[in-house]
Amino acid sequence: MDPHLLTTFVTVARHGSFSAAAAELGYTQSAISQQVAALEADLGLALLRRRPVEPTPAGRRLLEHAEPLLLRLRAARADVLRTAAEPRHLLRLAATPLAVNPVVAARLAEARARQPRLEIRLRMCRAERLAALVAEGRADLGLADGIAAPSDPLRLPDAGPMTTTGVTEEDLVVALPAGHPLAGRASLRLADLIDARWLRTPLCPPARLRDLVGEGFPAGLEYEGDDVRTALNLAAAGHGLTLLPASAVPAGGGGGGGVCAVPVAAPRLVHRVELLHAALPPGAAADLVAALSG
Amino acid sequence: MDPHLLTTFVTVARHGSFSAAAAELGYTQSAISQQVAALEADLGLALLRRRPVEPTPAGRRLLEHAEPLLLRLRAARADVLRTAAEPRHLLRLAATPLAVNPVVAARLAEARARQPRLEIRLRMCRAERLAALVAEGRADLGLADGIAAPSDPLRLPDAGPMTTTGVTEEDLVVALPAGHPLAGRASLRLADLIDARWLRTPLCPPARLRDLVGEGFPAGLEYEGDDVRTALNLAAAGHGLTLLPASAVPAGGGGGGGVCAVPVAAPRLVHRVELLHAALPPGAAADLVAALSG
DNA sequence: CCAAATTACGTCGACCGTAAGAATC
DNA sequence: GATTCTTACGGTCGACGTAATTTGG
């Protein structure tokens, strides 16, 4: 179970070819063959079927383990090395699309006002990748958003020891087309919407939606992008409902096409933004964390 | 970052001695010294201060990563090997103290009635260790209990890809001494108890309690065991309140000393039991999982 | 001065590359 | 028969043990 052999195995499985893996890793075919053989000998069972090269059941199981394992290994290395890094003034921030709400943006501004030398590079990414980015040190700080019960932490993929801090919580609303029968309501319950069509978008993770609304709700349009205005336009046009933080839906229901935001009364849920970071690089990071935490 | 070197490093740190680690691992002092040196050279920084032997800040950080990392490595190996294991009729079950409630016990009985050859060895353990036990294959199935919002999964330490299934959810009650001012109430809110003294016991994880009740509640007695009757007796005697599943508190408020169980009305919480398992060993396991899932 | 970690050095084994040998499409 | 993986074999480098050396209490 040497990580070295594990990466080789993963690469071979991904390419479906020993020679391609050899090319990528800078080894000869022969070495790859020996490494795979060594791993199989170590475990005492076949991991790959040859010609065509594809994982056996045991191999598939190992693949499920190997990826997070290697991620955590890289994360550990990055985290330890960070303790000896020199101070930086450029902070690389990674955020999910809905994480930079007005409050977060304002706090970032405060921090920059207090620390003129502070530079921030903000990069967007999906929630699943965010923890990995931060863990591996490819981002210094992460801002993740999600739906949770009030004061409950978000469920983020575990990529090793990391600090998570709640930043904001705000009301959750359902974005309805202006003409929808429930559009005028002061609030509604998700249970009332069990038959509604939902917009499938990474803005509101489908897995979470399934938990909340129930299994097998009729799927509306699937929008693979993460632009909020596009999602709102789609919602306004009746392609499906969306769960969004209140601040993401323009007030008054005006705008282009008319969406109406109705707060979710039950279950009690909030849209939560969380800050996550591994060991902080010395420098401006600690101040920014403090500023964001409020 | 060879796991081999990592285990050596962890062992040295735990013993605070190179020679002791050498004895445990079956190496010479010299080898240990070289291994630690190799790890430090690889990372480019000191991990241990010598004489006395204790971790540097970077070393402490690495230790935080190393333990879960090595656990996951063992877990991966065990999981893959299990795919090739021969069928077993003895199932090793691990459970947290409150997980085997009447419903779970009844379902276990059903399964045994249907499968006469099925043997079950039940072993108790704390929640923190349960996921590790199952992941490493030292138990085939795990039954974990905890407090969560209705239909929300439990927060278990992540020890790799595992299947979790909800088994039961039941009401959560506060165990109050019979004479307590709130004892007669039909229900109460946790917010009402913010100033109460709580019994600190692994039966109700203190971390979770802090989340629910708030920071810095006055700590009552700390009970390190996990016997429910003892906890009830302590609660009856006024040492502090406890959150328990309804079925754990004898009805009628009678019993030895008098505790009164008052359901928790807000926040909406349940006591949840979850079944977790990695790859199922062939044999009776799948049936048992089905029986427990209801 | 003693216990304990480091360094020096020799040996053995692991791993990779070259090259020849199977196996499958 | 060509491509692709496997096996054979030799060289190199790394890892461990023995033993001498240094360091710190």
Side-chain angles (χ1 to χ4, degrees), chain B residues 24-87:
Chain B
E24 177 176 327
L25 298 174
Y27 287 109
T28 58
Q29 274 166 326
S30 169
I32 300 297
S33 178
Q34 292 176 55
Q35 290 177 15
V36 173
L39 189 57
E40 290 181 321
D42 173 38
L43 291 170
L45 38 83
L47 298 172
L48 293 170
R49 222 175 296 287
R50 272 74 169 194
R51 239 179 298 234
V53 173
E54 59 184 6
T56 63
R60 274 194 294 275
R61 197 76 198 168
L62 183 57
L63 283 174
E64 288 178 46
H65 286 278
E67 201 62 64
L69 206 55
L70 295 171
L71 165 63
R72 287 190 75 131
L73 210 56
R74 289 191 301 271
R77 164 176 279 273
D79 195 31
V80 172
L81 290 180
R82 208 153 25 211
T83 64
E86 72 260 22

Side-chain angles (χ1 to χ4, degrees), chain A residues 9-86:
Chain A
F9 169 63
V10 170
T11 310
V12 170
R14 194 177 54 237
H15 283 86
S17 154
F18 282 53
S19 12
E24 177 177 326
L25 297 174
Y27 287 108
T28 57
Q29 277 161 327
S30 169
I32 300 297
S33 179
Q34 293 177 55
Q35 289 177 16
V36 172
L39 190 58
E40 290 182 322
D42 174 37
L43 292 171
L45 38 83
L47 298 172
L48 292 170
R49 222 177 293 289
R50 271 72 170 200
R51 238 180 299 237
V53 173
E54 60 184 6
T56 63
R60 273 194 295 277
R61 198 75 198 170
L62 183 56
L63 282 173
E64 288 178 45
H65 286 278
E67 200 62 66
L69 206 54
L70 295 172
L71 165 64
R72 287 190 76 131
L73 210 55
R74 290 192 300 271
R77 163 177 279 273
D79 194 33
V80 172
L81 289 180
R82 208 150 28 207
T83 64
E86 71 260 20

Side-chain angles (χ1 to χ4, degrees), chain B residues 122-205:
Chain B
L122 179 59
R123 160 183 181 183
M124 307 310 276
C125 78
R126 299 284 168 82
E128 314 88 56
R129 295 193 52 205
L130 197 131
L133 273 178
V134 173
E136 288 183 90
R138 312 200 306 126
D140 300 307
L141 266 57
L143 282 164
D145 80 285
I147 297 170
S151 81
D152 247 29
L154 294 180
R155 301 182 158 273
L156 296 166
D158 187 9
M162 255 189 291
T163 311
T164 65
T165 330
V167 177
T168 67
E169 284 186 1
E170 66 174 311
D171 285 339
L172 202 63
V173 301
V174 178
L176 299 157
H180 193 281
L182 297 172
R185 300 261 294 252
S187 73
L188 50 74
R189 292 187 290 179
L190 283 188
D192 300 337
L193 294 170
I194 192 160
D195 295 322
R197 291 198 309 178
W198 291 90
L199 201 60
R200 297 182 50 179
T201 147
L203 290 175
C204 177

